[in-house]
Amino acid sequence: MTMKDYAETIGFLGQWGRFQQIVFFSLVATIMPNGFGAFTLVFLTDTPSHHCLVSGINLTEDWRKNAIPKRCVDGKRELSRCSRYRLDVVRNLSAQGYIPGMDVNLTDLEEEGCVDGWSYSKDIYESTIVSEFDLVCSNQWKQPLTSTVFFVGVLLGSFFSGQLSDRYGRKPVLFAALALQTVFTFAQVFSGSWIMFLIILFINGLGQMSNFVAALVLGSEVLTGKVRVLYSSLGTCLGFAIGYMILPLLAYFLRDWKSLSLALSLPCVAYIPFWWLMPESPRWLLSQGRVEEAEAIIRTAAKWNKVQAPRIIFEDCGVSKLSLTHYWINPRCRTQFTMIVGYYSLSFNTAQLHENPYISCFISAVVEIPAYISSWLALLYLPRRLSVILTLVFGAVPLYLIQLVPDDLSNLSLVLEMLGKYSITTGSSLMFAYTAELYPTVLRNTATGISNTVSRIGSCIAPLLLSLGMYYKYLPHIILGTLAVVAAFAALFLPESFKKPLPETIEQMHRRER
């Protein structure tokens, strides 16, 4: 047997026996924690309403209510977040019986910073790391830096996990990433300072998405035919979406950040028994020349599926080694990088749908479900390049049209925003499956990991693009729409993989490109 006949060689197993079902649903379950992932930061790093603390002194009720200056923010009068009237002056005026606003002009009083700390509103959250470590006013820069450090961890984890997976196997990296997420999400609870929290969060980020990439590739290599397509598109993405939808539900009932972190870490312990259920990728074992181990897995699968395996399953399996250089020098691969940056820059343009963060997060997750179903159907019936180009163009059109909508038709703007969100999510789901199909087994996890790394860079760039709205309201939409058009053009140069077997060697990948 040659490597290119792998799918035909194991055809006697069937596509949807007990073995495939266990692999399918186990891998989907391991992807669910990624739905928590970066979205947890929405609740952990949110800034509650706050003002300077005024306590422990004798003040009349009038002066206690007026000890904080009022500012005009977006046309509304709000308490100042970072200053108060000098407390010794206020105490003196209160003791003398002066009435604020009548006997004393408040605008003439001298102000000072929040030297005694802050009072945080508990209307939405009991606590966040912002209220825990006072990441406000002069320390406000620490709040966005917290998210950035996490994404740097995700970026590095995505990059190195792909290479480690191609070297040491899909299964060890999958469970190592799950262990990182579990241990360090739990460890966050015991952070005594912001610096300590930052270090733990960075290590946590190394595991985030790394197991998604490993699980995606493992399932793509173990499963075959339409089941592989179903898993690579609908299965993996629905696993992610389920985790995403569970997050706001947990956050709604657990409104302090420590309880939420604890709740998100404990379910991952349930994945320990999966180690004995999950096989290593036979394709990867064959690429490493470990034929006996690959055959042992297939024979076990035959027993689970109650079919008879042939006496000799794999023959003439050559070992193919490939360095990372091959990935970089391939011009089609560089085109792939450009496309994924466009996808993730667009995906971060999802608008806040509701002033309540729990509802907003839940709606944002639910709207992705029809997109994943569309992606699955496209992978089943449409060529890959055509599907990618259509989703990009369909995502660009509503982004261009938003600027033409009158201000009094806000619902129409929302519909266009959601059409863009739907198309973006469909394209992102397509790309995960498409990427796994483009590269040979010996490089598949590295290539997928690097592509995911670039997507993390795109996710960091996206907020900067969206901040351009302060100069011209619709500038982010125009830039993101243009990125989608450019990426659609780049997609023309990608090889087609529709209804073709996964490449096992670099030679097969080159032949497909030609």
Side-chain angles (χ1 to χ4, degrees):
M1 189 211 75
T2 59
M3 289 283 285
K4 65 180 180 181
D5 300 322
Y6 175 84
E8 296 178 9
T9 302
I10 66 166
F12 66 90
L13 287 178
Q15 291 188 12
W16 192 240
R18 182 187 173 196
F19 172 74
Q20 288 91 345
Q21 291 168 10
I22 290 175
V23 170
F24 186 102
F25 291 111
S26 296
L27 286 174
V28 168
T30 64
I31 288 172
M32 286 173 59
N34 289 287
F36 308 150
F39 300 115
T40 309
L41 295 176
V42 171
F43 302 107
L44 261 57
T45 66
D46 203 3
T47 304
S49 297
H50 57 276
H51 57 78
C52 293
L53 186 63
V54 180
S55 62
I57 57 172
N58 294 322
L59 292 177
T60 63
E61 188 64 23
D62 283 339
W63 277 108
R64 188 174 295 279
K65 289 180 180 178
N66 289 276
I68 307 296
K70 290 184 172 60
R71 305 277 191 252
C72 187
V73 180
D74 295 329
K76 297 179 181 179
R77 298 281 290 175
E78 296 181 359
L79 294 178
S80 173
R81 296 187 170 193
C82 300
S83 64
R84 68 184 184 187
Y85 295 121
R86 278 189 55 179
L87 214 53
D88 56 343
V89 174
V90 169
R91 185 189 298 113
N92 185 42
L93 293 171
S94 177
Q96 295 182 41
Y98 290 109
I99 299 175
M102 293 181 62
D103 301 325
V104 179
N105 188 351
L106 294 175
T107 58
D108 294 335
L109 295 181
E110 186 179 349
E111 297 181 12
E112 63 182 0
C114 300
V115 293
D116 296 322
W118 289 263
S119 175
Y120 295 93
S121 169
K122 295 189 177 182
D123 292 342
I124 298 178
Y125 307 105
E126 282 295 317
S127 70
T128 68
I129 65 163
V130 173
S131 61
E132 181 81 13
F133 304 121
D134 291 330
L135 308 184
V136 293
C137 298
S138 62
N139 287 323
Q140 188 174 359
W141 59 273
K142 294 180 179 180
Q143 190 261 353
L145 180 61
T146 303
S147 300
T148 300
V149 168
F150 175 80
F151 280 115
V152 170
V154 174
L155 186 150
L156 293 176
S158 299
F159 181 78
F160 290 110
S161 67
Q163 297 178 62
L164 290 172
S165 186
D166 280 333
R167 182 170 182 177
Y168 298 107
R170 285 47 168 141
K171 181 178 174 180
V173 171
L174 169 62
F175 283 90
L178 280 171
L180 271 178
Q181 290 181 57
T182 304
V183 172
F184 287 93
T185 300
F186 181 78
Q188 288 173 183
V189 175
F190 303 98
S191 301
S193 66
W194 175 69
I195 293 294
M196 183 179 178
F197 178 85
L198 210 61
I199 294 171
I200 294 173
L201 187 67
F202 172 78
I203 301 173
N204 188 1
L206 293 173
Q208 293 291 342
M209 295 306 294
S210 297
N211 72 302
F212 182 96
V213 173
L216 171 68
V217 173
L218 179 56
S220 297
E221 293 179 348
V222 172
L223 304 171
T224 58
K226 291 185 177 181
V227 176
R228 175 175 64 81
V229 174
L230 176 67
Y231 170 78
S232 298
S233 55
L234 197 59
T236 55
C237 292
L238 281 180
F240 182 90
I242 291 171
Y244 191 178
M245 287 188 288
I246 290 173
L247 171 63
L249 297 179
L250 282 175
Y252 180 80
F253 291 104
L254 303 171
R255 300 202 176 197
D256 67 287
W257 71 274
K258 289 186 177 181
S259 297
L260 181 59
S261 295
L262 187 64
L264 296 179
S265 66
L266 294 180
C268 296
V269 178
Y271 295 124
I272 294 176
F274 285 36
W275 175 266
W276 291 274
L277 288 175
M278 205 86 68
E280 182 54 271
S281 165
R283 288 180 187 266
W284 178 81
L285 290 170
L286 291 173
S287 75
Q288 303 298 304
R290 295 158 63 176
V291 181
E292 291 183 1
E293 294 175 61
E295 285 204 355
I297 290 172
I298 299 301
R299 292 190 188 283
T300 299
K303 290 180 181 178
W304 288 7
N305 288 2
K306 298 180 180 179
V307 296
Q308 183 65 42
R311 188 174 63 86
I312 298 177
I313 301 175
F314 302 116
E315 296 179 357
D316 303 325
C317 295
V319 181
S320 175
K321 297 293 183 183
L322 187 63
S323 71
L324 190 61
T325 307
H326 289 86
Y327 184 83
W328 285 100
I329 64 175
N330 190 311
R332 303 302 181 262
C333 299
R334 291 195 295 270
T335 303
Q336 174 77 359
F337 281 104
T338 304
M339 293 174 61
I340 293 182
V341 170
Y343 281 136
Y344 278 84
S345 294
L346 287 166
S347 68
F348 269 74
N349 191 46
T350 302
Q352 291 292 319
L353 305 180
H354 197 279
E355 61 183 10
N356 186 312
Y358 305 105
I359 295 177
S360 177
C361 186
F362 185 75
I363 292 176
S364 183
V366 170
V367 80
E368 296 189 357
I369 301 298
Y372 294 145
I373 296 173
S374 299
S375 171
W376 169 54
L377 294 174
L379 287 167
L380 280 178
Y381 301 112
L382 294 176
R384 304 294 187 254
R385 274 183 305 197
L386 176 63
S387 300
V388 168
I389 292 170
L390 287 177
T391 55
L392 283 167
V393 172
F394 188 66
V397 170
L399 292 174
Y400 282 132
L401 292 178
I402 284 178
Q403 59 187 311
L404 304 178
V405 178
D407 292 337
D408 58 340
L409 294 178
S410 58
N411 287 337
L412 180 56
S413 295
L414 181 60
V415 169
L416 291 173
E417 193 85 31
M418 285 301 95
L419 285 174
K421 165 75 174 178
Y422 161 81
S423 184
I424 292 160
T425 307
T426 302
S428 298
S429 176
L430 279 168
M431 284 311 304
F432 276 119
Y434 193 11
T435 302
E437 293 176 349
L438 287 177
Y439 303 106
T441 300
V442 288
L443 192 60
R444 185 170 294 118
N445 220 118
T446 297
T448 307
I450 293 175
S451 296
N452 192 56
T453 299
V454 175
S455 76
R456 296 301 102 194
I457 297 174
S459 70
C460 295
I461 293 173
L464 300 177
L465 288 176
L466 299 179
S467 68
L468 296 175
M470 66 172 57
Y471 302 105
Y472 175 57
K473 183 178 179 181
Y474 300 107
L475 185 56
H477 296 90
I478 295 171
I479 294 176
L480 292 169
T482 303
L483 276 174
V485 172
V486 171
F489 177 76
L492 293 171
F493 298 94
L494 284 171
E496 185 54 70
S497 61
F498 184 50
K499 293 186 177 179
K500 295 181 180 179
L502 293 180
E504 305 293 350
T505 65
I506 190 68
E507 291 78 13
Q508 291 178 15
M509 184 178 79
H510 283 325
R511 283 200 299 271
R512 174 183 288 181
E513 290 174 359
R514 288 194 292 270

